[in-house]
């Protein structure tokens, strides 16, 4: 850290022993380790502090090894005794203020609280009571997330680290947030949303088109309501009607003889609901008619 050109200070506040169970203390120390690992691999690491280190947190640190040899500045004292109050910025997702950039004369504090949302808003409340400036990361401006915008301590730390490298919040967020958070760059998310809206619009239009279909009570066939009921049905119209009624009638060819207006029917049978008589339509387009039609009409057809 001493050789780093980055002079941005980041503090993990470890003053929450009384709010956490033993398993949460272990998780806190593990997240400090993850943060340290990311920082020591960086070309220009952050100035990394852990303050208010005592009690169960210190005991856990001692159990994992020689933590005092890590390139982190551990202090039992509070950050308020190490830095000017005017330089402190407490990070909290409940803050109404949006962090726009990182400044080297500021000290950014991450609450060392692993509480699984049992003490929501505690860090924000603490900052308010002590008169510290506070802000939240600008996640909503650059990233859409499927889950809540509450992040692990090491994720917040690494986002700050990546921002100092790229000065690009979106790149910093997207390179750190895990896939399970469902993070999507804002512009891509908006494009997806527009595409989904367009799909909904097409589906609505198709539904409106279906509303124009009218079912004939006698024949059971479905016609386009936009067509005049008195209009003569041509061969092409008949094919369209057949395609709309494919569930009611046996499969047939969709080709039609435009000259005589007769569809190529490929030998299919259907029940004539008007006469309640079976009508067979052979391949030569010559219908054998029932008692309701005459031979002369059949010849003309």
């Amino acid at each position: 850290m001493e050789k780093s050109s980055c002079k941005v200070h980041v503090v993990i506040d470890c003053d929450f022993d009384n709010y956490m169970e033993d398993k949460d203390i272990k998780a806190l120390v593990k997240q400090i380790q993850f943060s340290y690992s990311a920082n020591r691999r960086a070309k220009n690491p952050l100035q990394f502090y852990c303050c208010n280190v005592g009690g169960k947190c210190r005991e856990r640190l001692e159990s994992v090894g020689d933590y005092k040899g890590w390139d982190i500045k551990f202090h039992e004292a509070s950050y308020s005794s190490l830095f000017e109050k005017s330089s402190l910025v407490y990070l909290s997702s409940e803050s109404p203020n949006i962090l726009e950039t990182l400044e080297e004369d500021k000290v950014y504090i991450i609450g060392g609280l692993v509480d699984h949302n049992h003490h929501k808003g505690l860090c924000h409340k603490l900052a308010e009571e002590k008169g510290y400036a506070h802000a939240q990361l600008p996640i909503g401006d650059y990233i859409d997330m499927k889950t809540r915008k509450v992040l692990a301590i090491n994720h917040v730390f690494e986002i700050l680290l990546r921002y100092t490298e790229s000065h690009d919040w979106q790149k910093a967020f997207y390179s750190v947030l895990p896939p399970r958070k469902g993070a999507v760059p804002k512009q891509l998310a908006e494009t997806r949303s527009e595409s989904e809206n367009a799909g909904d619009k097409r589906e609505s239009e198709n539904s409106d088109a279906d509303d124009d279909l009218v079912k004939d009570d006698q024949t059971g066939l479905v016609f386009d309501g936009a067509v005049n009921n008195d209009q003569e049905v041509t061969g092409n119209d008949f094919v369209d009607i057949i395609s709309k009624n494919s569930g009611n009638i046996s499969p047939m060819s969709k080709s039609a003889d435009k000259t005589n207006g007769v569809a190529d029917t490929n030998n299919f049978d259907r029940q004539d609901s008007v006469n309640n008589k079976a009508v067979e339509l052979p391949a030569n387009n010559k219908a054998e008619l029932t008692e309701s039609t005459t031979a002369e009409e059949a010849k003309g057809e």
Side-chain angles (χ1 to χ4, degrees):
M1 290 192 298
E2 291 181 357
K3 298 178 181 179
S4 176
S5 63
C6 177
K7 301 305 178 184
V8 174
H9 291 70
V10 176
V11 174
I12 294 180
D13 180 9
C14 301
D15 196 23
F16 297 96
D17 269 17
N18 295 333
Y19 295 93
M20 294 185 287
E21 300 176 1
D22 289 344
K23 63 182 180 65
D24 299 325
I25 297 291
K26 291 179 181 179
L28 167 62
V29 171
K30 180 66 68 175
Q31 291 180 31
I32 292 173
Q33 288 177 286
F34 286 146
S35 300
Y36 171 50
S37 178
N39 205 45
R40 69 192 297 267
R41 290 197 306 267
K43 182 177 180 180
N44 291 294
L46 298 167
Q47 303 303 310
F48 187 8
Y49 290 72
C50 285
C51 296
N52 292 309
V53 179
K56 292 185 289 185
C57 180
R58 182 175 58 193
E59 290 174 6
R60 180 60 187 172
L61 282 166
E62 290 172 346
S63 72
V64 298
D66 183 19
Y67 73 95
K68 293 182 179 179
W70 301 352
D71 196 12
I72 301 175
K73 295 180 180 179
F74 288 97
H75 293 273
E76 291 186 12
S78 172
Y79 44 83
S80 60
S81 65
L82 300 174
F83 305 102
E84 294 290 334
K85 183 177 180 179
S86 60
S87 69
L88 303 178
V89 180
Y90 217 114
L91 299 179
S92 169
S93 61
E94 280 77 28
S95 174
N97 306 317
I98 305 299
L99 189 65
E100 296 181 358
T101 189
L102 299 181
E103 303 173 50
E104 292 190 349
D105 61 344
K106 298 295 183 181
V107 179
Y108 301 95
I109 305 167
I110 303 171
L113 178 61
V114 179
D115 69 338
H116 308 287
N117 207 33
H118 295 154
H119 302 286
K120 185 179 179 180
L122 181 60
C123 293
H124 179 238
K125 180 181 178 182
L126 174 67
E128 287 274 281
E129 290 176 349
K130 295 191 174 182
Y132 301 148
H134 48 79
Q136 63 168 289
L137 297 178
I139 297 178
D141 292 343
Y142 298 92
I143 294 288
D144 269 354
M145 295 174 62
K146 294 180 180 178
T147 60
R148 293 176 61 246
K149 294 186 289 184
V150 178
L151 308 177
I153 295 164
N154 56 294
H155 290 153
V156 177
F157 182 93
E158 192 172 353
I159 287 168
L160 299 178
L161 174 62
R162 300 307 168 209
Y163 178 78
T164 63
E165 296 171 340
S166 65
H167 299 285
D168 184 327
W169 281 118
Q170 188 172 78
K171 185 179 294 185
F173 289 130
Y174 202 57
S175 66
V176 173
L177 295 178
R180 61 182 173 80
K181 290 287 187 180
V184 179
K186 194 75 171 180
Q187 186 174 1
L188 177 59
E190 291 173 351
T191 301
R192 287 183 180 177
S193 178
E194 291 173 0
S195 177
E196 290 173 357
N197 289 338
D200 292 341
K201 182 178 180 181
R202 286 194 297 272
E203 184 176 347
S204 176
E205 290 173 349
N206 291 337
S207 177
D208 292 342
D210 290 342
D211 289 342
D212 290 334
L213 299 180
V214 178
K215 184 174 182 179
D216 187 286
D217 292 335
Q218 289 185 321
T219 64
L221 297 179
V222 178
F223 294 83
D224 190 337
V227 178
N228 190 327
N229 290 335
D230 296 330
Q231 179 179 336
E232 181 181 357
V233 179
T234 66
N236 286 332
D237 294 329
F238 183 64
V239 171
D240 289 340
I241 293 169
I242 291 298
S243 66
K244 292 174 182 176
N245 290 274
S246 59
N248 301 326
I249 302 177
S250 302
M252 63 175 289
S253 169
K254 291 188 178 181
S255 63
D257 185 338
K258 296 182 180 179
T259 303
N260 57 23
V262 179
D264 180 6
T265 54
N266 287 339
N267 289 323
F268 72 94
D269 295 330
R270 72 177 176 85
Q271 187 70 20
D272 188 334
S273 61
V274 178
N275 303 323
N276 198 25
K277 300 290 184 178
V279 178
E280 181 181 1
L281 301 180
N284 60 5
N285 295 333
K286 300 296 185 177
E288 295 180 5
L289 303 179
T290 63
E291 299 170 357
S292 62
T293 58
T294 66
E296 287 76 15
E297 291 172 335
K299 186 176 180 180
E301 183 68 9

